[in-house]
Amino acid sequence: MTRPIAAVILAAGKGTRMKSALHKVLHPVAGRPMLLHLADAVAALGAERTVVVTGAGREQVEAAVAPLGIAIAVQSEQLGTAHAVLQAENALAGFDGDVLILYGDVPLVETATMRRMLDRLHADDAPATVVLGFRPADPGAYGRVLADSHGRIVRMVEFKDASADERAETLCNSGLMAVRSADLWPLLARVGDDNAAREFYLPDIVMLAAADGRVSAVIETDAAEVAGVNSRAELAAVDAVWQERRRARAMADGATLVAPETVWFAHDTTLGRDVTVEPNVVFGPGVSVADGATIRAFSHLEGSTVGSRAEVGPYARLRPGAVLGEESKVGNFVEVKKAILGRGAKANHLTYLGDAEVGAGANIGAGTITCNYDGFFKYRTTIGEGAFIGSNTALVAPITIGAGAIVGAGSVVTADVEADSLVLVRPEQRAKAGWAKRFRDAMRTRKAAK
């Protein structure tokens, strides 16, 4: 029988080292707040309830999690991690199941690891608690976990209270735990603050359970998965770990990354098979790239959809609402915003397409812009299938260019153009023979006289 699952996410710290008006747990990793990465992992586990314990900046956290149906508990005073978890008791009133204790500034913990913790909680030796441990390159000031060969915990101790021998242990406490709700609240109520920091430590419940004759267990994970964020530098390091994992997954799923370390993904980037991504490409949130497409170097995409076998860049920018159809192409120094390109349509260079619809097979010449904004309102441009827009053309919206029409280079088009017609909007070319030479001669004489 599967037991109900709840998660308590601690996020009450002020995060002063971030030096930011934004709450620490809301700083983004891959374009998504750290806290919401963790909430996603918990949701994937099938948790029945989730409670975030916050303190300073609670309004920001509440606004971020309210759409997800996550409850809030408040820790008014920072009295330690055991005290923080205890604040969630009322929010979990009536809950009978397994409780995961997580940290909002430790965002990379995977659903599979949470599941391993819960599985260990229900192993044959029925541990009272399960602790997630790790072995960092530098154990530093982490609390230590001393365990036997079966992972049963002999002793847990905070670094400040550890002896020299205990500090020599390399297995450290991440702070993440799994506990049955029936055990958690009575154990927390017994935690005292008789320690060097005068705080109520969550890990003390392990030794309190041991005093009752009950064993606790530790399972291990990679140090990168439980990396915490307390500063901008640590945020960058965690983001780098996330990016490295995402790049590996993209390649395993059939995408080619020419220089993987230079490609930056958002949390929701989707790549199809046989997609090629050249160096120095940035994917903002909301990008989907279909099979066989090519994203060339130094392109930036956000909120956009790229169709199969389409080509983007190099040096292209796709902004929210950009939709590129199959085999379409936008080239160097082309910007597309809230615009749809039909199958095989091309805008090869030096173009801005905003609030527009470009029909299949249309060709947009270099230097073309859709003039979509008058300082107050946005207007739409429609370009029909197979139309040809000459270079250095301004299309003043609202406007429709009919299918198969040709717009001559250098035109400023302010009225609709019928299908299959030619439009030229430029003065007649005139030449004055010898004028340039006479001008230069006059200027030289004038300059010499000074």
Side-chain angles (χ1 to χ4, degrees):
M1 178 179 175
T2 302
R3 287 171 55 83
I5 300 166
V8 176
I9 302 175
L10 304 187
K14 294 180 179 179
T16 53
R17 288 168 56 193
M18 297 296 288
K19 294 181 172 60
S20 175
L22 182 66
H23 195 289
K24 178 173 70 169
V25 300
L26 301 182
H27 280 263
V29 170
R32 186 167 175 79
M34 288 189 285
L35 178 59
L36 299 191
H37 277 275
L38 201 57
D40 278 354
V42 169
L45 190 66
E48 183 179 295
R49 300 194 205 177
T50 302
V51 182
V52 173
V53 180
T54 189
R58 58 174 289 193
E59 297 82 5
Q60 293 183 14
V61 177
E62 288 179 0
V65 302
L68 304 177
I70 293 175
I72 291 287
V74 180
Q75 185 188 25
S76 300
E77 295 182 86
Q78 306 292 296
L79 301 179
T81 50
H83 178 261
V85 176
L86 196 56
Q87 306 315 299
E89 185 175 11
N90 288 338
L92 291 180
F95 175 79
D96 182 19
D98 300 334
V99 180
L100 280 166
I101 300 168
L102 309 168
Y103 291 78
D105 59 0
V106 182
L108 300 186
V109 184
E110 298 183 356
T111 300
T113 299
M114 298 178 191
R115 174 57 61 191
R116 284 201 298 126
M117 294 171 68
L118 295 172
D119 289 345
R120 184 66 182 88
L121 188 65
H122 294 284
D124 291 341
D125 55 355
T129 70
V130 173
V131 173
L132 186 61
F134 68 110
R135 298 182 187 273
D138 178 11
Y142 288 108
R144 301 302 204 266
V145 182
L146 290 80
D148 66 19
S149 59
H150 299 286
R152 292 187 289 258
I153 297 174
V154 176
R155 177 166 166 74
M156 282 181 61
V157 60
E158 294 297 321
F159 180 81
K160 295 176 183 177
D161 303 307
S163 67
D165 286 344
E166 289 168 339
R167 291 180 179 183
E169 172 61 58
T170 60
L171 182 59
C172 296
N173 173 26
S174 71
L176 281 68
M177 302 181 74
V179 193
R180 296 171 188 81
S181 59
D183 294 324
L184 178 60
W185 311 120
L187 287 170
L188 285 173
R190 294 163 56 190
V191 174
D193 64 350
D194 184 16
N195 52 62
R198 307 302 299 177
E199 290 188 357
F200 297 89
Y201 287 140
L202 177 62
D204 285 358
I205 66 175
V206 172
M207 301 319 299
L208 287 169
D212 295 339
R214 300 189 62 191
V215 69
S216 290
V218 61
I219 66 169
E220 295 188 36
T221 192
D222 184 82
E225 187 176 2
V226 291
V229 175
N230 293 294
S231 66
R232 307 279 183 156
E234 290 175 350
L235 177 66
V238 165
D239 201 311
V241 170
W242 189 96
Q243 293 293 339
E244 186 176 359
R245 291 179 180 177
R246 182 64 184 87
R247 294 163 188 148
R249 192 171 89 235
M251 292 185 286
D253 289 344
T256 294
L257 308 184
V258 177
E261 69 281 2
T262 70
V263 176
W264 290 86
F265 290 103
H267 64 97
D268 58 354
T269 306
T270 301
L271 299 184
R273 289 189 176 184
D274 296 315
V275 168
T276 298
V277 183
E278 293 185 352
N280 298 295
V281 170
V282 175
F283 294 100
V287 176
S288 174
V289 182
D291 294 354
T294 298
I295 314 298
R296 300 207 177 277
F298 295 98
S299 293
H300 188 286
L301 296 78
E302 180 178 3
S304 52
T305 301
V306 179
S308 61
R309 300 181 302 284
E311 186 174 328
V312 177
Y315 295 98
R317 183 183 182 196
L318 301 188
R319 293 169 58 195
V323 178
L324 273 57
E326 294 182 9
E327 298 178 345
S328 62
K329 181 179 179 181
V330 295
N332 50 289
F333 306 106
V334 173
E335 180 178 348
V336 182
K337 188 273 299 183
K338 204 175 180 181
I340 301 171
L341 272 68
R343 182 187 181 103
K346 295 180 175 64
N348 281 321
H349 30 225
L350 303 165
T351 290
Y352 171 68
L353 297 173
D355 296 279
E357 183 169 353
V358 180
N363 187 88
I364 311 299
T368 296
I369 60 171
T370 56
C371 306
N372 58 325
Y373 183 51
D374 64 3
F376 296 93
F377 301 101
K378 296 289 182 70
Y379 304 93
R380 195 154 187 84
T381 297
T382 301
I383 300 172
E385 293 186 5
F388 183 95
I389 311 299
S391 298
N392 199 33
T393 292
L395 303 174
V396 183
I399 195 169
T400 296
I401 309 299
I406 296 176
V407 177
S411 296
V412 178
V413 185
T414 58
D416 291 351
V417 177
E418 294 181 0
D420 295 319
S421 62
L422 169 67
V423 63
L424 300 170
V425 190
R426 59 191 181 204
E428 181 181 350
Q429 182 170 314
R430 297 172 60 196
K432 296 183 179 181
W435 187 94
K437 183 177 185 305
R438 292 193 298 273
F439 172 78
R440 286 193 296 270
D441 291 344
M443 290 299 102
R444 290 190 187 105
T445 299
R446 186 172 171 183
K447 187 172 182 179
K450 288 187 176 182

